[in-house]
Amino acid sequence: MTHMTMRRRGVLRAGAAGLLGLGVQSIFPAWAHSGSHGLRAELPTLTGQDIRLRIAHDMFKVGGRAGHAITINGVLPAPLIRLREGQNVRLHVENALDEDTSIHWHGLILPFHMDGVPGISFPGIKPGTTFTYEFPVKQSGTYWYHSHSGLQEQIGHYGPLVIDPAGAEPAPYDREHVIVLSDWTFLHPHQVMVKLKQKGGYFNRQKQTLLDGTMTAAERANWGRMRMDPADIADVNGSTYSFLINGHGPAENWTGLFRPGERVRLRFINASAMTIFNIRIPGLPMTVVQADGQHVRPVETDEFQISVAETYDVIVTPTADQAFALIAETIDRSGMARATLAPRLGMVAPVPALRPRPTLSMRDMGMGGMDMGGGGTCAPEHAAMGHCTPGQPAAAMQHSMRDKASVPASVDVGVGVDMIAPMPVDRTGDRPLGLEKEPHRVLTYHDLAPLVPFHDTRPPARSVDIHLTGNMERFMWSLDGRKMNEGAEPIRFERNERVRVNLINNSMMNHPIHIHGHFFELVTGQAHGHPVKHTVNVMPGGKASFDLTADAPGDWAFHCHLLYHMHAGMMNVVKVRPLDDGGAA
Amino acid sequence: MIRTLFAASLLAAATPAAAQHADHTGHTGHMGHAMPASDAAPSCTPEHAAMGHCKPAPAAAAPVRPAVDPSCPPEHAAMGHCEPTAPSSSGAVPTPPAPPSAGPSAAASSGPEYAADGVWGADVMAPVRKAVYTEHGAFRGSKLLIDRLEHRSVDGRDGYAWEGEGWYGGDYDRLWVKTEGEGGFGGAIESAEVQALWSRAIGPWFNLQTGLRYDFRPRPDRAHLAMGVQGLAPYWFEVDVAAFLSDRGDLTARLEAEYDQRITNRLILQPSAEIELSAQNVPSVGISAGLSTIEAGLRLRYEVVPEFAPYLGLEYERAFGKTADSRRADGEKADSLAFVIGLRAWF
């Protein structure tokens, strides 16, 4: 068992008699101490009108090994900023690095020039300078903040941001814990990028082999013919990452305390660079009450997937005087982050073994339009209905996987595009990859209903297609086939227009797509309404549509929130015009 | 109303045994989809079964009732191609037709192109913008691969061989250097060449490579213009096909292919083949027109880390036609089987 210690920290965790090291200087913010009573008024969080943040180089230790990090106010994750709806806030950000930095307030509705994206909303924060963000707080919920400069987000430049509602809390709770999920590597982030470019699938150490019998020879041949790897689930994964909860590795076992019978609100934030997690607390059903900071009608589930940059608030009510394991298993099952919810420190619950790596299917290949289920095999129930013949691969493989004719001319199908999904279907109702056959309840986007209807009920007047494109072998990623540095035409919206954006995933990776400065309604077609989000995970070979009210004038970043996809070019700018007089909001 | 619902849901959460009505204002059914409250035994459509959302009725039984209108499957409905006649109590509602695809209005392009310039100043924003736009997509990197560095044993004679390549550049254009050669211990180097190529991406998987090749050995040394295509062929074959025109006007070609068969994620069996062709006799180096040599290799490597892998293997080489004759005239055999032990590394 390793201790997460810092060069300034000398607290032994085991048997610390409940003192939790509070008051001792450490790399952890108070709310993320190894054992936390939860968020309480007496714990130092950053609140008020004026908040000071200092971004600096630091060292971070996990699993007994130390590496270079960027911290804010000396802690990783960054301090919890706690605001109240309706207040004004000034955030003074000092850059003590030797490179430019920035803070983007992820999910906050604010004037574009306070959004914190260098080159798009502001010039960035130069070394040795302090920049003051100032804006009114117009919303409530669970959000987060992170760097939008270089690859700083990978090495610790992220933190939670909670805004309490001005009025009554629609989902009341007795205790709360912030759960910041992240991924940590001792490789320099630029080295991670180079490795990905040097060798396709470099980090995947769970590739299909001669000896694993999950696929027929015919299926393997079909995948091989397309030069696609059905085991390619996460570009960067447990072969280099340690997965953290509130800065703690699995062995360090961050523990959140509760009293049996309490309603415990868990504010999940996926602050990872590249890791999509599946969240479950064995033995404890979770009631989802918020997604991306927006209230949803309470819906109970046993497991949910949280893509990068999404947030989910759940309420659990543990009644037994026992510990529960909080498991955040990575989508490719290459590792997990783990924490414990317990009535007392030192208690642990059994940690389930990693489940087998999922294998991509025809639906992930963009063959959803004629999916016969599970990877093109002939399931008995299909055979019984005469849909297919056992032992025969499904016929869909005969489709061209790169037919330029099936996308508009505006999509540049060149070197950087290795696939065009032949028959992509809306996958917002699909269970997430790898959770299709779990016997317990699994959340899908279709389960999310807004607690209050979206303020704009106009139907969208026009629709815009945006193709998510890439080349797995060359590790090139783009929107509509053009990397950001290749001068992609910006996405232009008229102010206050209602527009439907169709995201079409022509790749076999999940992409969490994030639009700055706006919330959108994710089109699920459900009678209970469309959930309101700032980030949507578009499943491999699938589609997701959202309706947007372009009510925020200015220039806004729009990108895949997988850090290295964005860095490889999967980013564009949304321009909403006309601006206010003079350009300043 | 909402509060009541929420309280109910919390109560339900606290008492799992409580009967949870799948009321589609709050809860969802166990299939992960909102289910009609009246439907105690929801039908299991094939697509749901395929996703593992439900277990279909016994094979012989027909579906209880179609939950999707067969004349209008969901994917078509989603595209607005048709309107399904959904069961009235289903969680999905008839999808209104999708709005027409259209470009932005004139007003959407009005005003300044760069909003931030009006706040921070164009002179401040322009350099940062250029840098940031470039940073998202521009790549410069390099790789040095020592594909083979091996000891060869043939008929009790020991020799060595190497093959490697390196590149520097971006996604589309790279300077690509290749080298290969072999020799016997205690003897002269038998062959040694280096190529310097401009590599241009011509598709998702292939690069067109043009440049120069220089043969230090065998004597007389020769220079060539080189042009070839290198990349990843279907079924994961790494291929490299190139033609060479020497400074003496001789045209030759070389076809290489290799395949990595993972036995485990670290233990990899790599069959490889190389074919040398010539358009004419080149007596000075003992090559005759047509098929001159074929090499076939089989190497089993163990990737301690992906960048570092020792290997064992076999390398079979055979000369044909007059190429073989000229070897025999030099007292060599036309074919040979070598046992190899070596190292593959890259960084």
Side-chain angles (χ1 to χ4, degrees):
Chain A
M1 183 71 91
T2 54
H3 296 294
M4 176 113 35
T5 53
M6 263 316 294
R7 48 196 170 78
R8 298 183 306 268
R9 184 178 179 210
V11 179
L12 287 181
R13 188 171 50 80
L19 286 173
L20 317 176
L22 292 184
V24 179
Q25 275 222 315
S26 85
I27 185 82
F28 296 119
W31 54 268
H33 272 285
S34 304
S36 172
H37 287 290
L39 305 172
R40 294 176 307 174
E42 65 267 28
L43 291 182
T45 51
L46 297 173
T47 56
Q49 295 265 343
D50 281 277
I51 290 171
R52 298 197 170 273
L53 299 168
R54 184 173 186 271
I55 302 169
H57 289 291
D58 217 326
M59 293 298 286
F60 175 73
K61 197 166 180 179
V62 64
R65 191 175 163 195
H68 170 241
I70 291 176
T71 58
I72 301 182
N73 295 2
V75 293
L76 187 159
L80 170 66
I81 296 175
R82 188 145 201 148
L83 306 173
R84 181 163 290 277
E85 184 181 6
Q87 75 164 94
N88 283 307
V89 66
R90 279 184 300 271
L91 297 132
H92 310 279
V93 181
E94 181 195 345
N95 181 5
L97 303 171
D98 45 15
E99 60 190 69
D100 285 18
T101 192
S102 55
I103 293 182
H104 164 59
W105 315 99
H106 190 111
L108 263 58
I109 300 301
L110 36 63
F112 79 88
H113 62 285
M114 290 291 149
D115 191 50
V117 183
I120 296 174
S121 45
F122 82 138
I125 311 173
K126 295 270 178 286
T129 66
T130 297
F131 178 85
T132 300
Y133 291 90
E134 186 171 5
F135 51 87
V137 179
K138 298 177 168 178
Q139 63 202 102
S140 66
T142 301
Y143 301 98
W144 64 299
Y145 62 102
H146 61 83
S147 171
H148 230 287
S149 301
L151 298 170
Q152 294 169 356
E153 202 187 328
Q154 175 75 86
I155 52 173
H157 190 316
Y158 48 80
L161 194 161
V162 174
I163 307 170
D164 292 307
E169 168 59 62
Y173 49 92
D174 305 312
R175 189 191 293 262
E176 61 181 321
H177 293 291
V178 169
I179 308 290
V180 176
L181 303 155
S182 63
D183 44 27
W184 172 267
T185 173
F186 290 99
L187 276 178
H188 190 288
H190 283 109
Q191 197 56 33
V192 172
M193 189 77 191
V194 169
K195 293 283 184 202
L196 289 164
K197 293 275 190 180
Q198 285 174 325
K199 186 171 184 286
Y202 170 79
F203 291 100
N204 185 2
R205 310 293 152 79
Q206 305 184 97
K207 293 192 176 91
Q208 282 200 313
T209 64
L210 195 62
L211 304 175
D212 64 30
T214 52
M215 270 195 173
T216 67
E219 284 173 331
R220 282 173 190 245
N222 272 315
W223 284 86
R225 186 169 50 80
M226 296 184 299
R227 289 159 284 196
M228 298 279 174
D229 178 0
D232 192 359
I233 313 286
D235 291 319
V236 192
N237 54 44
S239 65
T240 188
Y241 278 152
S242 307
F243 301 105
L244 311 180
I245 287 182
N246 295 342
H248 292 64
E252 283 122 12
N253 192 26
W254 181 88
T255 301
L257 299 178
F258 67 86
R259 278 196 200 90
E262 283 181 328
R263 296 167 300 177
V264 184
R265 185 178 187 131
L266 303 173
R267 300 177 179 269
F268 287 94
I269 297 164
N270 190 348
S272 296
M274 292 294 279
T275 307
I276 300 169
F277 290 100
N278 295 324
I279 309 292
R280 66 199 201 275
I281 308 173
L284 208 53
M286 300 176 281
T287 302
V288 179
V289 296
Q290 222 184 65
D292 288 3
Q294 306 300 295
H295 300 299
V296 296
R297 290 188 198 168
V299 53
E300 193 179 278
T301 191
D302 298 310
E303 183 163 19
F304 66 92
Q305 185 168 98
I306 182 168
S307 196
V308 175
E310 290 186 308
T311 72
Y312 285 94
D313 286 24
V314 309
I315 289 181
V316 294
T317 311
T319 50
D321 186 46
Q322 66 169 88
F324 295 91
L326 193 161
I327 303 299
E329 187 179 50
T330 67
I331 187 173
D332 70 331
R333 317 283 161 86
S334 64
M336 63 167 70
R338 166 251 186 159
T340 299
L341 300 178
R344 289 171 300 284
L345 276 186
M347 296 175 76
V348 290
V351 176
L354 287 168
R355 293 171 291 191
R357 169 186 53 69
T359 303
L360 294 170
S361 70
M362 286 168 38
R363 208 167 162 82
D364 302 308
M365 252 190 256
M367 305 267 194
M370 55 178 309
D371 189 22
M372 302 292 283
T377 52
C378 185
E381 54 266 42
H382 288 285
M385 294 178 194
H387 290 178
C388 55
T389 311
Q392 295 295 311
M397 298 283 196
Q398 308 320 317
H399 285 269
S400 165
M401 291 296 295
R402 198 170 174 268
D403 182 3
K404 296 184 190 189
S406 60
V407 291
S410 58
V411 180
D412 193 349
V413 186
V415 168
V417 181
D418 63 12
M419 167 184 152
I420 299 292
M423 283 172 292
V425 292
D426 186 297
R427 299 194 64 186
T428 54
D430 285 16
R431 281 185 168 206
L433 177 66
L435 301 179
E436 299 89 343
K437 294 188 167 57
E438 284 301 317
H440 53 241
R441 291 166 297 175
V442 174
L443 191 80
T444 75
Y445 284 144
H446 281 200
D447 297 330
L448 298 175
L451 191 62
V452 287
F454 194 67
H455 60 85
D456 192 346
T457 54
R458 295 174 295 160
R462 68 181 180 107
S463 68
V464 176
D465 287 359
I466 296 174
H467 288 263
L468 317 181
T469 45
N471 180 327
M472 315 260 259
E473 197 59 27
R474 296 186 191 270
F475 202 75
M476 295 169 69
W477 295 100
S478 53
L479 298 169
D480 286 343
R482 264 181 294 279
K483 302 186 292 179
M484 190 181 190
N485 69 319
E486 292 173 337
E489 169 63 17
I491 302 155
R492 298 181 193 274
F493 297 133
E494 184 178 342
R495 195 165 169 185
N496 288 321
E497 77 164 310
R498 281 281 280 174
V499 59
R500 173 163 298 180
V501 176
N502 303 308
L503 301 169
I504 301 143
N505 188 350
N506 294 287
S507 81
M508 298 203 309
M509 306 301 286
N510 285 274
H511 296 287
I513 302 296
H514 171 49
I515 183 168
H516 288 223
H518 298 78
F519 282 93
F520 51 75
E521 292 176 273
L522 182 64
V523 179
T524 60
Q526 298 302 294
H528 60 203
H530 292 161
V532 179
K533 299 188 95 273
H534 52 54
T535 305
V536 58
N537 188 69
V538 190
M539 289 179 75
K543 292 196 298 191
S545 298
F546 62 76
D547 290 347
L548 179 83
T549 300
D551 57 4
D555 291 355
W556 303 97
F558 176 87
H559 58 93
C560 173
H561 221 286
L562 296 175
L563 183 62
Y564 299 97
H565 287 194
M566 180 179 85
H567 200 72
M570 202 165 189
M571 179 166 172
N572 201 345
V573 182
V574 164
K575 293 179 182 278
V576 180
R577 298 288 186 279
L579 301 171
D580 285 345
D581 296 339
Chain B
M1 166 71 187
I2 284 159
R3 282 180 171 284
T4 318
L5 270 173
F6 191 71
S9 81
L10 283 176
L11 190 68
T15 50
Q20 291 184 32
H21 289 292
D23 171 350
H24 57 116
T25 53
H27 287 294
T28 57
H30 287 258
M31 287 168 59
H33 290 268
M35 289 305 300
S38 60
D39 201 334
S43 67
C44 186
T45 64
E47 48 274 80
H48 284 263
M51 290 179 203
H53 290 183
C54 56
K55 281 271 182 280
V64 180
R65 64 165 172 77
V68 287
D69 176 0
S71 69
C72 183
E75 51 271 19
H76 286 273
M79 292 177 191
H81 293 177
C82 57
E83 287 212 8
T85 48
S88 57
S89 56
S90 163
V93 287
T95 313
S101 182
S105 65
S109 301
S110 66
E113 179 62 14
Y114 300 111
D117 289 8
V119 182
W120 310 107
D123 52 338
V124 175
M125 284 301 300
V128 180
R129 182 163 52 239
K130 185 168 184 291
V132 167
Y133 278 47
T134 302
E135 178 184 295
H136 291 90
F139 168 74
R140 278 277 169 279
S142 64
K143 181 178 183 176
L144 190 61
L145 167 68
I146 302 158
D147 197 22
R148 294 173 199 169
L149 183 61
E150 63 194 30
H151 176 278
R152 289 183 173 182
S153 316
V154 193
D155 304 333
R157 288 185 298 119
D158 288 344
Y160 57 88
W162 77 86
E163 188 168 330
E165 60 184 31
W167 56 256
Y168 170 81
D171 285 332
Y172 300 99
D173 295 291
R174 289 173 181 175
L175 168 66
W176 206 291
V177 175
K178 301 178 184 179
T179 178
E180 62 180 72
E182 59 186 301
F185 289 117
I189 298 178
E190 289 165 30
S191 68
E193 71 171 60
V194 63
Q195 295 180 41
L197 309 164
W198 165 49
S199 179
R200 171 75 188 169
I202 51 169
W205 298 282
F206 283 101
N207 303 310
L208 177 67
Q209 301 185 323
T210 52
L212 297 172
R213 165 180 151 190
Y214 186 75
D215 299 357
F216 297 92
R217 296 285 187 282
R219 302 276 191 190
D221 52 341
R222 289 168 303 157
H224 310 252
L225 291 174
M227 179 180 250
V229 171
Q230 176 267 359
L232 186 67
Y235 303 102
W236 297 100
F237 284 93
E238 287 278 356
V239 299
D240 190 344
V241 176
F244 307 100
L245 183 63
S246 82
D247 51 7
R248 293 169 175 75
D250 300 321
L251 182 65
T252 56
R254 182 185 292 159
L255 290 66
E256 292 178 76
E258 56 186 46
Y259 181 81
D260 279 355
Q261 175 60 61
R262 281 183 299 275
I263 295 167
T264 70
N265 267 274
R266 289 174 184 261
L267 192 65
I268 296 160
L269 186 67
Q270 183 196 65
S272 61
E274 182 173 329
I275 299 170
E276 300 260 11
L277 304 166
S278 179
Q280 64 287 298
N281 295 324
V282 190
S284 61
V285 288
I287 292 174
S288 64
L291 176 64
S292 41
T293 58
I294 287 186
E295 285 177 51
L298 192 63
R299 287 169 178 79
L300 181 66
R301 73 174 185 265
Y302 181 80
E303 295 192 343
V304 180
V305 290
E307 296 87 341
F308 186 87
Y311 63 81
L312 296 169
L314 298 169
E315 177 85 1
Y316 176 76
E317 191 195 5
R318 179 163 180 186
F320 292 86
K322 292 197 174 113
T323 311
D325 297 343
S326 75
R327 287 200 185 184
R328 290 190 193 99
D330 291 346
E332 294 174 26
K333 283 170 115 182
D335 66 343
S336 65
L337 180 64
F339 173 76
V340 303
I341 180 165
L343 181 69
R344 181 181 190 270
W346 62 270
F347 51 90

